[in-house]
Amino acid sequence: MKHRIVVLGAGYAGAFAAGNLARRLSPADTEITVVNGVPDFVERMRLHQLAIGQDLAFRTLADVFAGTGVRLRLARVTGVDPERRTVAVSGAHDESGDGEFAYDTLLYALGSSVARHGVPGVAEYAFDVTGLSSALRLRERLAELGEGGTVLVVGEGLTGIETATEFAESRPDLSVALAARGELGAWLSPKAGRHLRQAFDRLGITVHEHTGIEAVEPARAIAAGGMSIPADVTVWSAGFAVHPIAAASGLEVAETGQIAVDRTMRSLSHPDVYAAGDCAYAIGENSRPLPMSCASAGYTTMQATAAIIARLTGSRVPATGLKHHGNHISLGRRDAIFQMVDGDVRSKSWYLGGRTATWLKSGILKGAGWSIAHPTFGMPKRRRRLATAPDRAGARVAA
């Protein structure tokens, strides 16, 4: 029987992993299945553009994996049983319906969603851009706003900055504000920080620094101390959280709920399970957890797939780089910042800004999109066979 590899999630991490595994492992020995809740590949890094009304073309996963040998199952993951090595799903888009299926190796890449932090009113009244459905919901609401409508973006991280600047540039008829718990761009180098503030000034974005939001209501947000900030629309971008499925399954997780993994992205508690992307609690080369980001998804996915392939084929597991190099921040369509960081994740004095940084960010987005559209990068003539036959009852090969 073939070794069953199941990949949960088809975001940047999951889609790339499935294609890489299909490219390098022989279909005579392996069966690769991807489970995803929606039929399209969602470019999460561009959802703030979709929300403000820009038209984006999404690739269907059926087209992405056509001809690769990867099986696609459109369903929502509801549970994982690592002891029985099964995955439970519901709402399947085919005749299989609800149920469960087995795996021999599992790559968990379900990503993350918005972190509400228990703030009253966020679940009921706030919007976010962490998923396709939520971005489309926000798009509909913004389209209803006329001139002078107020939008408050909560959170001074990358998502908050990109969302506020994109909205202000695309809809100058709206009044856009950003609420920051600390100082805007405090983590940037001085020159990059000034560039950021100049961009906010140019776009007319009001910044409320040192302002923690304690409640969200239909037409306003309430800050610490009772200050009221008018907001026809509140966009919540105050961090990310992982789905509780991993913790509920009995896998060892960190306090964040992310799966605790070793240097090869293998679960510390269950050797048949690997994690990649936002759901992996991976320690970088600086001995600190990698941030939840598209870049981290790339590093952890390359390491996880390399480890799976090596162990299944009896090879030495290679070590891929796990170093955070910096951040690319779009400031609308015509401006951006590229901030490099050192080994301690402190911003270097040098940064790139303006049109050049915009072209660089655009190249990164296009490159990510191309890699997903060509998940196997062209099938090689020879793909690797497994070292031994799969052992369904006990240990995996080349452990």
Side-chain angles (χ1 to χ4, degrees):
M1 296 179 67
K2 295 183 179 182
H3 188 92
R4 300 162 297 185
I5 302 175
V6 174
V7 180
L8 302 184
Y12 291 105
F16 180 84
N20 196 31
L21 291 167
R23 178 176 182 265
R24 299 173 62 188
L25 290 172
S26 172
D29 300 321
T30 55
E31 176 184 287
I32 302 169
T33 301
V34 175
V35 184
N36 201 60
V38 297
D40 298 319
F41 171 73
V42 179
E43 291 188 74
R44 185 171 179 177
M45 292 190 292
R46 302 184 67 190
L47 286 180
H48 58 294
Q49 296 174 241
L50 177 71
I52 198 58
Q54 297 174 29
D55 293 326
L56 304 179
F58 291 105
R59 300 174 178 85
T60 66
L61 292 171
D63 289 340
V64 166
F65 293 120
T68 65
V70 173
R71 299 184 177 187
L72 174 63
R73 185 162 186 182
L74 297 176
R76 184 172 61 89
V77 177
T78 57
V80 175
D81 188 336
E83 306 303 328
R84 295 173 54 236
R85 295 200 293 264
T86 59
V87 174
V89 299
S90 69
H93 293 220
D94 55 29
E95 68 280 358
S96 60
D98 298 353
E100 66 176 26
F101 54 97
Y103 65 82
D104 298 303
T105 296
L106 180 71
L107 178 54
Y108 189 109
L110 289 179
S112 62
S113 58
V114 65
R116 298 188 174 96
H117 303 297
V119 175
V122 172
E124 296 83 359
Y125 306 118
F127 297 80
D128 66 83
V129 291
T130 58
L132 178 58
S133 60
S134 58
L136 289 173
R137 174 173 164 261
L138 175 56
R139 180 186 176 107
E140 292 180 1
R141 179 68 182 101
L142 290 172
E144 297 171 353
L145 293 184
E147 184 175 354
T150 55
V151 177
L152 174 67
V153 178
V154 180
E156 69 272 31
L158 303 184
T159 302
I161 292 172
E162 292 198 337
T163 299
T165 52
E166 194 77 46
F167 286 12
E169 181 182 86
S170 298
R171 290 285 306 274
D173 59 311
L174 299 178
S175 176
V176 179
L178 182 141
R181 277 193 168 275
E183 181 182 334
L184 179 67
W187 48 276
L188 293 169
S189 64
K191 291 182 179 179
R194 287 194 293 272
H195 186 119
L196 176 63
R197 288 182 177 277
Q198 289 169 359
F200 269 60
D201 290 342
R202 171 173 52 82
L203 294 169
I205 302 170
T206 301
V207 180
H208 302 281
E209 295 184 308
H210 308 290
T211 303
I213 300 301
E214 296 188 343
V216 176
E217 297 180 358
R220 66 174 183 168
I222 307 300
M227 182 179 72
S228 175
I229 303 175
D232 296 317
V233 173
T234 297
V235 183
W236 195 262
S237 57
F240 301 102
V242 297
H243 198 285
I245 286 177
S249 72
L251 291 166
E252 182 176 340
V253 298
E255 291 184 2
T256 58
Q258 295 168 289
I259 297 173
V261 295
D262 63 14
R263 180 59 177 76
T264 69
M265 302 303 119
R266 196 180 206 180
S267 165
L268 295 181
S269 60
H270 294 80
D272 295 313
V273 177
Y274 293 76
D278 286 355
C279 56
Y281 189 77
I283 305 301
E285 294 174 8
N286 58 2
S287 300
R288 299 180 182 181
L290 289 175
M292 293 187 185
S293 68
C294 184
S296 295
Y299 307 146
T300 55
T301 301
M302 287 187 286
Q303 179 61 80
T305 55
I308 292 171
I309 293 164
R311 290 189 172 114
L312 290 180
T313 58
S315 306
R316 181 180 64 84
V317 178
T320 61
L322 297 177
K323 184 178 180 180
H324 185 62
H325 296 283
N327 295 302
H328 298 82
I329 315 166
S330 294
L331 305 174
R333 295 296 86 211
R334 296 183 292 276
D335 195 5
I337 291 173
F338 175 37
Q339 176 68 71
M340 295 290 290
V341 299
D342 61 19
D344 293 320
V345 201
R346 294 175 301 195
S347 294
K348 295 182 178 180
S349 60
W350 177 86
Y351 89 102
L352 190 66
R355 287 294 185 130
T356 303
T358 302
W359 295 333
L360 180 59
K361 179 64 180 282
S362 177
I364 291 172
L365 291 172
K366 290 178 180 178
W370 187 93
S371 68
I372 297 301
H374 304 80
T376 60
F377 293 88
M379 290 289 191
K381 292 181 179 179
R382 295 181 61 186
R383 285 181 279 176
R384 300 171 69 180
R385 301 293 300 270
L386 300 197
T388 61
D391 177 6
R392 293 280 163 78
R396 301 271 67 77
V397 298

